[in-house]
Amino acid sequence: MSFQLIEGSAEQTIPLFFINKKQLDESLQESGLSAIWMTANNFKAGDGEICTIPDKSGGIDSVAIGLGDREVPGIWTMAGLSHSLPQGVYTLKEKQTSEVATEIALGWAIGSYCFTRYKQSDRVLASLVWPDKVDKQLVSSLASGVHLTRDLINTPSNDMGPEELATAASQLAGEFEAECNVIVGDDLLQANYPAIYEVGKASDRAPRLIDFRWGDSGPKITLVGKGVCFDTGGLDLKSAAGMLMMKKDMGGAAHVLGIAAAIMESNLACQLRVLIPAVENAVSGNAFRPSDVIKTRKGLTVEIGNTDAEGRLVLCDALAEAVRTKPDLIIDFATLTGAARVALGTDLPAMFCNDDKIADSLRKHSVECDDEVWRMPLHKPYRKLLDSKIADLNNISGGPYGGAITAALYLEEFVGNETSWAHFDVMAYNTSSRPGRPEGGEAMGLRAVYSMIKEMVN
Ligand code: BES
Ligand code: ZN
Ligand code: ZN
């Protein structure tokens, strides 16, 4: 993918320069001509704001990019520019440090994303000449991962069922000589994945477990992603409004495939395994019911309090398998609860972790990458809310409070405390557009996790 970043070109390039609020004020006092033009055009040098400066013949001389109160641009400062600048080839006027240049290029690359599967746009995007000193490998790996995650989420369920999700995983495996095995339909019962089977059995599109492995040295890292390709709620059917966005309920799977793509493209020395339970939570005569008691891979029995709490059911079998091979770290991503969004809003993923060092490291990387996650507690006293009178546990807590925590505690039952584990409850979707982050599928916490894994393997 080109990401609208090109090698130094012979074509005429238009210089881009940065100016923050303080510098704009100062150059106005010096009555710089371009500063006068900028203020006449109501340019306030806000972060990411642009002002095109004309040359004497009426062409574009250069483009000012506001930094707000910043000293240097951040990842999102230029992320919208490939879409908002006039078509052409642009270049940075001033030299940047390697770190800043890499942030700029990464924002540009992520921001060049368009979902074009069903509607071609005739708009030609602007391109940027790769700035000097950029870590191109890092930019390309992360941008590939984010684009893949967004594409998978944006593709509606009619074209992204359990089978198509498995095909996407095996295509990715093919690109990097990874191994990809898929257990489908009734074979899930023979292979002892009863909960995945139960949730997915009502759909004409058979449930499956995708098991992807790559790399043969370094730490053992297992990523698990919720792959509910559409969540109707099952017999506890969602409302129309609640169902509207549920093509994104495989967002966790999309995240772990995006992270895997970035890890493999940059050849990080780890033994990677990706497990994705891929199902459709559908309604039919043979659908699992509220009050059913089902078995799980770990042997625990679960009473179904609500068929709409299906994510934890498919994840618990995948997590039990993940733990079995004793990896150094398990990370799962899931669009698991509405309650996590009530607690933290749509943009901030909730992170739960049974290992304080890993949690602190994830938080630190998330701040450094401008990809924040927020830790929430695995508050043990709430575990009793999942007690069932007739089974080992219920899949929901009876009450309306602390739903993200009780969901995480449910998962913890299947992980135990011998393996380091982090769980991300994510929205995986931008509910409105911002520069570089269009409405639709979004990777949240992906760069933070990649950055921590990169540090782990170094
Ligand atoms: N996929 C949903 C959670 C969800 C909803 C995530 C909206 C993001 C936005 C999940 O399967 C679900 O329906 N969870 C229920 C659990 C409840 C029945 C205990 C929820 O959050 O309401
Ligand atoms: Zn649900
Ligand atoms: Zn769901």
Side-chain angles (χ1 to χ4, degrees), residues 161-424:
E163 184 175 357
E164 290 85 355
L165 187 55
T167 304
S170 62
Q171 267 169 9
L172 186 66
E175 265 178 63
F176 295 97
E177 291 172 19
E179 200 185 303
C180 185
N181 293 305
V182 187
I183 304 172
V184 186
D186 290 347
D187 288 352
L188 287 167
L189 292 176
Q190 267 80 60
N192 190 27
Y193 291 100
I196 299 175
Y197 177 83
E198 281 295 327
V199 173
K201 71 181 181 185
S203 173
D204 289 334
R205 305 193 288 179
R208 58 205 73 208
L209 177 71
I210 302 163
D211 185 351
F212 179 112
R213 287 169 204 258
W214 175 87
D216 45 26
S217 64
K220 280 168 94 172
I221 296 167
T222 300
L223 306 176
V224 180
K226 172 177 172 182
V228 175
C229 293
F230 196 79
D231 184 8
T232 65
L235 290 173
D236 287 313
L237 199 64
K238 286 184 182 294
S239 66
M243 209 185 292
L244 192 58
M245 266 200 294
M246 284 301 130
K247 68 171 182 180
K248 74 157 173 109
D249 215 19
M250 35 58 72
H255 274 72
V256 295
L257 288 175
I259 296 169
I263 287 176
M264 295 188 296
E265 188 170 333
S266 46
N267 208 9
L268 298 189
C270 62
Q271 301 179 67
L272 179 66
R273 187 178 187 196
V274 180
L275 287 167
I276 297 173
V279 302
E280 178 174 11
N281 189 17
V283 180
S284 88
N286 72 335
F288 76 125
R289 310 162 191 83
S291 86
D292 281 358
V293 175
I294 66 168
K295 292 203 180 73
T296 64
R297 182 171 187 76
K298 192 174 175 177
L300 297 175
T301 54
V302 178
E303 183 183 5
I304 304 303
N306 193 311
T307 60
D308 198 9
E310 83 298 339
R312 61 197 78 179
L313 296 171
V314 298
L315 286 172
C316 77
D317 274 2
L319 287 168
E321 168 57 17
V323 172
R324 193 182 60 80
T325 54
K326 296 192 167 48
D328 297 295
L329 177 61
I330 298 175
I331 300 180
D332 81 70
F333 275 80
T335 50
L336 201 62
T337 67
R341 310 288 63 87
V342 174
L344 298 175
T346 54
D347 299 341
L348 191 55
M351 179 232 317
F352 295 85
C353 190
N354 64 0
D355 177 330
D356 290 342
K357 271 203 188 125
I358 297 283
D360 290 348
S361 173
L362 281 166
R363 170 68 191 157
K364 180 190 84 148
H365 283 277
S366 84
V367 172
E368 284 168 4
C369 298
D370 207 342
D371 187 24
E372 277 193 54
V373 301
W374 194 261
R375 188 176 186 187
M376 286 177 65
L378 288 159
H379 187 59
K380 302 290 181 290
Y382 290 169
R383 165 62 186 80
K384 66 174 180 300
L385 298 172
L386 295 169
D387 284 348
S388 158
K389 291 200 179 84
I390 61 165
D392 291 320
L393 72 169
N394 200 293
N395 77 328
I396 58 159
S397 90
Y401 302 117
I405 299 176
T406 48
L409 288 170
Y410 175 96
L411 298 180
E412 195 184 22
E413 283 290 309
F414 296 84
V415 176
N417 52 17
E418 275 168 30
T419 312
S420 293
W421 162 65
H423 154 60
F424 288 93

